[in-house]
Amino acid sequence: MDFNYREALKKIPAKPGVYQFWDAAGELIYIGKAKSLKNRVSSYFNKDSYRINAKTRVLVSKIADITFTIVDTEIDAWLLENSLIKKHQPRYNIMLKDDKTYPWIVIKNEPFPRIYWTRRIVKDGSKYLGPYASVSMMHTILDLVKEIYPLRTCNLPLIKQNIAAGKFKVCLEYQIGNCKGPCQAYQSEDDYNQNIENIKDILNGKTGSVIRNVKAELDAAVAGLNFEQAHRLKHQLDLLERYQSKSTIVNSSISDVDVFSIASDEKHAFVNFLKVMNGTVIQTQTLEMKKRLDETDEELLSFAISEFRTRFSSSSKEIIVPFELEIEDPGIRFTVPKLGEKKKLLELSQKNVSFFKRERIEQYEKLNPEVRTERLLTQMMKDLRLNQLPRHIECFDNSNFQGKYPVSAIVVFKDAKPSKKDYRHFNVKTVEGPNDFATMEEAVYRRYRRMLEENTPLPQLVIIDGGKGQLSSALKSLKLLGIDNKLTVIGIAKKLEELFYPGDQYPLYLDKKSETLKIIQQLRDEAHRFGITFHRQKRNKATLATELSNIPGIGKTTAERLLQHFKSVKKIREATADELRQILNTKQTGALLQYFKGSTKNDSSGM
């Protein structure tokens, strides 16, 4: 590396701030924040951490210059980092996937303020609430507000002089009850502004105070026998209480908090934000980020919190998070709840971010099936403690009927999908009676002896349908062949879906919803189906052979030859004498035809 980082580090102070890495072409490639600039920047050139992360190693190899900005506090560094990343979008920084312009609800700075939604913020003294990640939610709130408090929608300059001079006439909106006619002084400015204050409270989640005010007005109207006014206020109260019942999720004492949760994988992270006022979620959004340098969840969440609070202009003094963050700011309290109402809020946020992540992954995997395969195999490798991706998996199962007609079946999955052309079944040769362990031992030995003889690549994972006994039998054959260290073998017990490993007395339990367990169950069920099918075929064939061998002149060997040639008794029955003579001699052919002729008569007489 030509860059003399030791000289650069001498100039960097141990103070909070933001550092910037530049490449030889003068391009800004990375921006970061730090509680101590010297310690953080030095860590990139530490030999131990330099070896750990390949992506960071590439970044460091490109550094040609380092600049920095000192700030007063860590929280200032936090906000400045977010601002600079959004402005410059360096190559190695987290990439925000969500660049939409979300709508706001604006309360216009004018006499008799209008309320409407916009995507453009103008600094004219108007009050903006939002942004709203859900457009439908925003329209629902606006519709509620307009139904409770009729407001003007026109853009007339309703200053006192114009109204007093009678410059305006009420329009159709007044006639149909959507406006109270402030343009002709039918509604006073004080009454209109009181409605605006109530609307602000609703938009800020303070529905309870508005309900209390409406109830007081309702009681006064009833006491004054103003039933028309009371009816209108009762309608407002019903709408407000219905809205509150849908929005309140926790104790209303929880006021003005931000809630964040995160879900991540190898390449992406998703952060959910909930804005809570008086126990009501008034804003929510989930952000997707693309990792660049294997950032930790702590780093990603810190960045997202800064982004969300800037985007939503949040000044909440309390932030609920799923784990401790190294952010020190005397004006903000970070809470990691263990129980209670705040824990419920965090769980709600976590449900939202998990759903969003699952939905995005499913959507992406539908378009890119190979990505799903890689993810599944990687998850299986992690869950089953494998040292390589299980691209080739084989599963064994045995079948017999009271010890008779024993067979073994093997099914093969490649890239987590059935490879039916590779399915095999075995007629058990060396086992007498119902000995499941010996049957498994023979099947596994024959399978992998042949693969070794044919120089066929071995599977990465072998699954044995059964508990410790069947697993030990399979392992015995693998050791005999000298390949017990070349693949992983596990057993699955049916009752509790326990996974057994050789030499481990305690089973492994996977989550019942685990994709790894579902694939193992699919393998097990497919092996059982394939084995049972072959077992029935063998049993049926033996039954048919017994039936034919009862015919005078036809023994067991001849019966098996007939079945092998004609495939079924039905086809033998329908065969001509010439066709039968291809297998039988003249005497046997006559006996067989006579037998079928007699059985046909017996069948007819019984009808």
Side-chain angles (χ1 to χ4, degrees):
M1 189 191 305
D2 296 331
F3 174 59
N4 189 343
Y5 69 88
R6 290 187 177 86
E7 286 299 317
L9 290 174
K10 290 178 182 178
K11 303 174 186 177
I12 300 176
K15 293 187 175 183
V18 172
Y19 56 92
Q20 300 167 321
F21 293 157
W22 305 78
D23 65 10
E27 181 182 352
L28 182 58
I29 57 175
Y30 188 74
I31 297 171
K33 69 176 184 313
K35 185 177 180 180
S36 168
L37 286 168
K38 180 177 281 295
N39 292 346
R40 182 70 184 98
V41 176
S42 298
S43 69
Y44 285 94
F45 303 95
N46 180 288
K47 290 185 179 180
D48 292 333
S49 61
Y50 181 68
R51 277 197 301 269
I52 293 171
N53 191 320
K55 291 182 181 178
T56 303
R57 186 162 64 247
V58 173
L59 167 65
V60 173
S61 70
K62 294 182 180 295
I63 298 174
D65 191 19
I66 302 173
T67 59
F68 56 88
T69 303
I70 298 172
V71 294
D72 291 332
T73 66
E74 188 184 359
I75 201 72
D76 293 331
W78 186 40
L79 295 170
L80 179 59
E81 177 203 36
N82 180 271
S83 175
L84 291 175
I85 289 173
K86 287 169 67 177
K87 180 180 178 181
H88 299 288
Q89 298 182 356
R91 178 180 176 185
Y92 289 96
N93 276 102
I94 301 162
M95 186 173 74
L96 298 177
K97 301 287 285 183
D98 190 351
D99 57 356
K100 298 176 183 176
T101 303
Y102 285 94
W104 299 71
I105 291 178
V106 58
I107 302 175
K108 196 67 177 172
N109 181 25
E110 60 188 359
F112 299 96
R114 288 168 292 155
I115 296 181
Y116 55 91
W117 70 273
T118 181
R119 294 184 187 273
R120 186 165 159 264
I121 296 178
V122 180
K123 295 183 179 180
D124 59 355
S126 297
K127 183 171 183 61
Y128 291 85
L129 297 113
Y132 289 88
S134 169
V135 177
S136 62
M137 176 185 173
M138 179 198 68
H139 283 299
T140 298
I141 295 172
L142 278 176
D143 290 343
L144 170 76
V145 163
K146 289 176 181 178
E147 187 169 358
I148 298 175
Y149 302 105
L151 300 173
R152 75 175 179 119
T153 56
C154 64
N155 57 2
L156 298 175
L158 298 186
I159 58 176
K160 291 181 180 178
Q161 298 90 323
N162 290 343
I163 295 171
K167 289 188 175 182
F168 312 114
K169 297 291 182 182
V170 292
C171 63
L172 181 62
E173 289 294 299
Y174 172 79
Q175 304 295 341
I176 62 178
N178 289 340
C179 176
K180 291 186 175 182
C183 59
Q184 280 191 254
Y186 294 157
Q187 182 182 23
S188 70
E189 190 166 6
D190 287 343
D191 182 60
Y192 193 99
N193 287 340
Q194 181 57 53
N195 289 347
I196 292 295
E197 291 304 314
N198 287 342
I199 291 169
K200 285 180 183 178
D201 285 343
I202 293 172
L203 295 176
N204 284 317
K206 299 176 182 178
T207 318
S209 63
V210 180
I211 288 175
R212 286 191 295 273
N213 291 338
V214 174
K215 281 182 176 179
E217 290 182 42
L218 175 59
D219 292 341
V222 172
L225 303 181
N226 189 346
F227 298 116
E228 186 177 341
Q229 172 75 350
H231 177 74
R232 184 179 61 80
L233 290 168
K234 182 64 170 65
H235 178 64
Q236 287 186 3
L237 185 61
D238 289 343
L239 289 172
L240 285 166
E241 288 179 338
R242 198 179 309 143
Y243 172 71
Q244 186 185 48
S245 69
K246 289 181 179 178
S247 8
T248 300
I249 54 164
V250 290
N251 194 305
S252 60
S253 63
I254 298 179
S255 177
D256 197 11
V257 298
D258 293 345
V259 186
F260 294 91
S261 62
I262 185 169
S264 64
D265 54 29
E266 291 77 11
K267 296 182 179 179
H268 299 87
F270 306 86
V271 176
N272 175 258
F273 164 68
L274 299 178
K275 176 71 174 176
V276 182
M277 293 287 293
N278 300 306
T280 300
V281 176
I282 62 170
Q283 291 166 333
T284 179
Q285 187 181 346
T286 300
L287 186 71
E288 180 182 354
M289 296 179 285
K290 184 176 180 181
K291 293 184 181 180
R292 290 291 175 79
L293 293 173
D294 294 332
E295 295 88 352
T296 65
D297 281 359
E298 288 79 3
E299 292 171 328
L300 293 163
L301 186 58
S302 296
F303 177 82
I305 290 173
S306 173
E307 165 64 20
F308 273 123
R309 285 173 66 86
T310 302
R311 181 181 296 188
F312 285 80
S313 303
S314 176
S315 56
S316 297
K317 301 301 181 185
E318 182 178 10
I319 299 177
I320 296 174
V321 288
F323 43 74
E324 297 288 347
L325 295 174
E326 293 184 2
I327 300 174
E328 294 182 5
D329 180 19
I332 299 176
R333 182 172 79 257
F334 287 91
T335 302
V336 183
K338 302 300 180 187
L339 44 82
E341 299 293 344
K342 291 181 180 180
K343 177 65 173 175
K344 289 180 183 177
L345 271 175
L346 181 60
E347 288 172 350
L348 177 67
S349 178
Q350 288 170 331
K351 284 179 185 176
N352 275 276
V353 77
S354 298
F355 177 82
F356 188 90
K357 176 189 173 187
R358 185 169 63 251
E359 191 178 54
R360 282 299 176 91
I361 288 174
E362 287 176 358
Q363 183 181 15
Y364 184 68
E365 289 179 350
K366 283 180 182 177
L367 300 174
N368 304 275
E370 69 283 354
V371 174
R372 179 178 184 275
T373 299
E374 290 300 312
R375 180 182 63 79
L376 282 175
L377 295 178
T378 302
Q379 188 64 45
M380 288 190 74
M381 182 174 75
K382 184 176 175 184
D383 290 344
L384 300 176
R385 309 185 300 231
L386 307 177
N387 55 16
Q388 56 185 326
L389 292 178
R391 295 195 175 278
H392 180 174
I393 309 172
E394 297 190 350
C395 182
F396 288 83
D397 184 36
N398 298 332
S399 293
N400 66 75
F401 178 69
Q402 296 178 349
K404 296 180 179 179
Y405 321 117
V407 298
S408 276
I410 174 177
V411 296
V412 179
F413 274 32
K414 291 185 176 177
D415 287 337
K417 295 177 183 177
S419 178
K420 295 194 175 184
K421 65 182 180 64
D422 295 313
Y423 287 14
R424 297 290 183 272
H425 48 235
F426 302 95
N427 286 306
V428 178
K429 298 178 179 179
T430 62
V431 181
E432 293 293 336
N435 191 333
D436 202 35
F437 298 157
T439 301
M440 185 63 71
E441 187 177 335
E442 178 187 328
V444 171
Y445 183 82
R446 288 170 57 188
R447 169 65 175 173
Y448 297 116
R449 183 189 62 185
R450 181 161 186 170
M451 291 186 79
L452 291 171
E453 289 172 351
E454 296 176 351
N455 200 25
T456 306
L458 295 170
Q460 289 83 37
L461 176 64
V462 175
I463 298 171
I464 304 300
D465 182 14
K468 292 182 179 180
Q470 287 88 343
L471 180 61
S472 298
S473 299
L475 189 64
K476 184 178 178 181
S477 292
L478 295 176
K479 285 182 177 179
L480 195 60
L481 293 166
I483 58 171
D484 53 305
N485 292 324
K486 295 183 179 180
L487 47 79
T488 299
V489 56
I490 62 174
I492 177 170
K494 293 179 181 177
K495 282 188 178 180
L496 299 176
E497 305 293 34
E498 301 166 309
L499 300 181
F500 291 96
Y501 286 78
D504 192 342
Q505 68 179 99
Y506 299 108
L508 171 69
Y509 294 96
L510 295 177
D511 188 292
K512 299 301 180 186
K513 296 181 180 178
S514 160
E515 288 182 296
T516 297
L517 181 59
K518 286 179 180 178
I519 292 174
I520 292 174
Q521 289 170 331
Q522 187 183 356
L523 274 151
R524 188 262 315 279
D525 295 344
E526 182 71 350
H528 186 66
R529 180 200 63 79
F530 186 61
I532 285 290
T533 301
F534 177 52
H535 168 71
R536 285 173 180 162
Q537 290 173 351
K538 184 177 179 182
R539 193 175 67 195
N540 291 342
K541 186 176 179 181
T543 303
L544 293 172
T546 302
E547 180 185 343
L548 291 171
S549 63
N550 288 332
I551 300 171
I554 297 179
K556 184 178 179 182
T557 303
T558 306
E560 288 178 352
R561 285 173 55 210
L562 278 168
L563 282 170
Q564 189 174 1
H565 182 81
F566 290 102
K567 306 301 182 185
S568 70
V569 171
K570 182 182 177 183
K571 289 184 179 179
I572 297 172
R573 189 191 297 271
E574 295 171 351
T576 64
D578 290 338
E579 289 173 335
L580 291 171
R581 287 193 191 97
Q582 295 177 21
I583 306 297
L584 308 174
N585 58 36
T586 303
K587 185 178 179 181
Q588 290 172 325
T589 300
L592 186 61
L593 290 172
Q594 185 62 35
Y595 174 80
F596 283 141
K597 185 177 179 181
S599 64
T600 303
K601 285 181 179 180
N602 291 334
D603 290 343
S604 300
S605 63
M607 289 178 65

